[in-house]
Amino acid sequence: MQSLIPYLMFDGNCEEAIHFYKDIFDGEIPYMGRFGDGQMEDVPEEAKNRVMHSTLNFRGGTIMASDTMPGAPFTSDGKGNQIHLSLGFDKLDKLASTFDDLKEGGKVTMELQDTFWGDRFGMITDRFGISWMLSCPVKQVAEQG
């Protein structure tokens, strides 16, 4: 295996979410295609502008995402959410600013704090229902000065 790339599903707000993450992670969106752009037949009118596939590249990773088709099963209430995206940092100030950006309109499930394992760590469920874990090794950063 070369890499593992998270694929996020949204219910009509994929474009908004990907641009939100693009701004936070200072990334770029090399591709965003819509259901109406493809060769698929019988795409309902209300689905044509939904995102069929998008890619966000940023330093340290890639996220792919799309919207569901209208009427497809979708939950964003956090119940049964077994997936958290984990972000690692090498600078405490970048950790703090990214945490602040992601919590806008979301819910902090664990404030940033120093942990027994040596990281500053926090958890958020963002306004799109995506769960994030953010960490930075405190000792290593202090030694780097």
Side-chain angles (χ1 to χ4, degrees), residues 29-48:
I29 302 168
Y31 179 78
M32 185 174 295
R34 304 186 184 283
F35 284 106
D37 298 338
Q39 303 292 323
M40 297 169 46
E41 295 182 24
D42 302 327
V43 174
E45 192 61 39
E46 67 270 18
K48 288 186 177 181

Side-chain angles (χ1 to χ4, degrees), residues 8-144:
L8 308 178
M9 299 298 292
F10 298 91
D11 191 23
N13 58 352
C14 178
E15 183 171 10
E16 178 187 357
I18 287 298
H19 281 282
F20 178 69
Y21 301 140
K22 174 189 169 287
D23 292 344
I24 290 173
F25 303 139
D26 192 27
E28 62 177 48
I29 302 168
Y31 179 78
M32 185 174 295
R34 304 186 184 283
F35 284 106
D37 298 338
Q39 303 292 323
M40 297 169 46
E41 295 182 24
D42 302 327
V43 174
E45 192 61 39
E46 67 270 18
K48 288 186 177 181
N49 203 37
R50 284 182 173 231
V51 175
M52 183 175 65
H53 178 75
S54 64
T55 303
L56 170 65
N57 295 326
F58 55 96
R59 182 181 169 267
T62 297
I63 294 174
M64 294 181 181
S66 71
D67 284 313
T68 60
M69 287 292 274
F74 181 84
T75 60
S76 64
D77 59 9
K79 295 179 182 173
N81 186 354
Q82 296 89 5
I83 301 294
H84 288 66
L85 301 180
S86 180
L87 298 173
F89 293 85
D90 58 4
K91 295 190 179 353
L92 291 170
D93 59 340
K94 188 62 178 168
L95 167 76
S97 65
T98 302
F99 189 87
D100 288 342
D101 289 342
L102 280 171
K103 75 179 182 184
E104 181 184 320
K107 179 183 176 190
V108 174
T109 53
M110 181 179 175
E111 288 289 347
L112 280 176
Q113 56 193 270
D114 292 346
T115 63
F116 68 89
W117 64 83
D119 284 4
R120 185 154 305 150
F121 178 82
M123 297 170 58
I124 296 170
T125 299
D126 71 24
R127 68 184 187 206
F128 302 102
I130 304 299
S131 297
W132 298 87
M133 300 186 309
L134 294 81
S135 64
C136 182
V138 177
K139 182 178 179 185
Q140 179 182 342
V141 170
E143 289 172 355
Q144 292 174 358

